[in-house]
Amino acid sequence: MHILKEKQKLTSLLGTYRKKNLRIGFVPTMGALHQGHISLVEQALKLTDKVVLSIFVNPTQFDNQEDLKQYPRDLEKDLKSLQKFQEDIIVFSPLPSEIYGENIASEKFDFDGLELEMEGKFRKGHFDGVGTVVKKFLEIIEPEKAFFGEKDYQQLLIIKKLAEKLQLKTEIYGCPIDRESSGLARSSRNERLTASERADAAFLYRILQKVKEDFGTKSVLDITQEVRSKFKENGQFQLEYFEIADAESLKPVQEPKKDRKYRAFIAAFLGDIRLIDNIALN
Ligand code: AMP
């Protein structure tokens, strides 16, 4: 395993791979790695020869400075979980100055409205920060393929849009959500939950499964009302949003059409931990 902090060292290593006609995959992460990240690397290694996994807690995508401060960081542990990939993985873990220089700020993007829905409403500037850092990484690494989780489905669509608008040659791949046995979507933030909160958090997935069951037989309005009342009954979570939206445009839907794909999205706080999840409905 190669562990690099400088982009120049990274590009020169990648140059040696390119000379051998090896294909480069890219998996961006913020560290605190879990099986969800590992599943992305496994997918990447099916389709490419060498995988760059970045570990970078990107300051510009946090609207909440406390969340940035509290974000779990444990490089030693992360490296252990990647050891099994041996020489096929390159860990790129730069300092903010290596990526941003002196000016830690976001570029402004237009993602054709995708950035205005859901997470965009509740996390101001978040997708400008994500777009800025992913663009920088893609320009440094120039991977053939980059892999993103459907866990952050809105982010996945936004990165696809970014690649399309900038006419990047990198293909963007979406990978399925990896879940704990309870159904809870794996997330670095789960580490901050107590064992009992972690068990309680599976409530979000149970809600989404019920929504999927009801979709097509009940109206979107009725489903939404039921979700809200279940949150009230439960009492532990503070629901930030629940939405059923078109899987391509992310526009909320009232009357689903037969030939369109839809997804349900949820964001809720358990204490001060913000959890998100989503599910394909048809
Ligand atoms: P993060 O480190 O949370 O920024 O996530 C890095 C990448 O891993 C993103 O593309 C996420 O969507 C993806 N990811 C995070 N959690 C999961 C999961 N449970 N299943 C699949 N992908 C995930």
Side-chain angles (χ1 to χ4, degrees):
M1 172 166 44
H2 296 267
I3 304 154
L4 303 172
K5 289 195 175 297
E6 285 130 28
K7 49 190 181 195
Q8 218 193 336
K9 288 204 173 126
L10 177 65
T11 49
S12 92
L13 177 66
L14 296 180
T16 65
Y17 294 150
R18 290 224 160 79
K19 278 201 188 112
K20 295 181 197 158
N21 280 326
L22 297 176
R23 296 159 303 170
I24 313 294
F26 175 44
V27 175
T29 83
M30 297 206 296
L33 301 182
H34 50 68
Q35 187 51 40
H37 298 116
I38 301 296
S39 71
L40 261 55
V41 175
E42 286 165 349
Q43 179 61 31
L45 279 172
K46 281 187 193 147
L47 301 175
T48 58
D49 303 302
K50 298 281 179 186
V51 171
V52 178
L53 177 133
S54 60
I55 296 183
F56 183 66
V57 182
N58 174 34
T60 63
Q61 73 187 66
F62 284 81
D63 58 334
N64 175 341
Q65 288 308 301
E66 197 49 33
D67 192 22
L68 171 61
K69 219 167 84 192
Q70 298 278 341
Y71 202 85
R73 293 164 171 90
D74 190 344
L75 187 60
E76 287 290 298
K77 191 169 160 218
D78 287 347
L79 295 178
K80 271 199 193 119
S81 71
L82 295 169
Q83 252 162 12
K84 63 175 173 179
F85 299 111
Q86 298 182 354
E87 290 306 298
D88 291 339
I89 193 140
I90 302 107
V91 177
F92 181 46
S93 147
L95 289 172
S97 57
E98 182 71 7
I99 298 302
Y100 285 99
E102 295 289 292
N103 185 24
I104 299 189
S106 294
E107 197 180 319
K108 297 267 173 273
F109 291 97
D110 170 5
F111 295 118
D112 294 345
L114 288 171
E115 75 282 17
L116 304 176
E117 307 297 334
M118 298 181 291
E119 293 294 288
K121 286 193 186 125
F122 289 93
R123 302 184 71 189
K124 288 280 166 249
H126 172 67
F127 288 122
D128 281 335
V130 170
T132 301
V133 78
V134 173
K135 181 179 165 195
K136 285 177 187 287
F137 277 129
L138 291 175
E139 284 170 353
I140 297 167
I141 300 164
E142 298 186 273
E144 272 77 14
K145 301 180 199 298
F147 300 82
F148 293 82
E150 288 182 349
K151 162 80 180 8
D152 302 282
Y153 187 85
Q154 187 172 9
Q155 168 176 281
L156 167 65
L157 292 196
I158 280 177
I159 301 301
K160 282 187 176 168
K161 182 68 75 181
L162 176 86
E164 178 194 312
K165 287 206 165 192
L166 299 176
Q167 297 186 316
L168 301 178
K169 64 178 177 50
T170 304
E171 249 181 280
I172 308 298
Y173 272 75
C175 303
I177 302 175
D178 195 79
R179 298 180 180 279
E180 298 186 2
S181 53
S182 66
L184 174 63
R186 288 189 206 274
S187 162
S188 303
R189 288 190 173 83
N190 295 354
E191 278 193 21
R192 294 182 51 217
L193 300 171
T194 64
S196 79
E197 284 174 333
R198 209 155 165 148
D200 296 340
F203 170 73
L204 295 187
Y205 185 55
R206 288 201 298 278
I207 292 263
L208 288 178
Q209 280 180 306
K210 179 73 167 69
V211 168
K212 183 174 177 131
E213 224 178 275
D214 291 345
F215 187 75
T217 55
K218 293 186 185 171
S219 73
V220 168
L221 193 64
D222 284 350
I223 293 175
T224 306
Q225 272 164 357
E226 273 176 38
V227 168
R228 289 188 188 287
S229 67
K230 283 214 179 78
F231 267 91
K232 274 211 185 101
E233 264 166 49
N234 178 289
Q236 271 183 300
F237 291 85
Q238 204 181 325
L239 179 63
E240 198 168 61
Y241 63 75
F242 168 76
E243 227 153 79
I244 293 181
D246 184 284
E248 264 178 52
S249 70
L250 297 183
K251 294 266 174 273
V253 66
Q254 293 305 329
E255 289 178 19
K257 298 197 174 76
K258 288 240 154 4
D259 58 340
R260 301 291 302 170
K261 295 270 182 232
Y262 297 97
R263 284 182 98 93
F265 298 85
I266 220 162
F269 281 91
L270 183 52
D272 64 342
I273 319 271
R274 186 173 186 275
L275 299 170
I276 60 169
D277 201 351
N278 70 87
I279 198 168
L281 296 177
N282 60 343

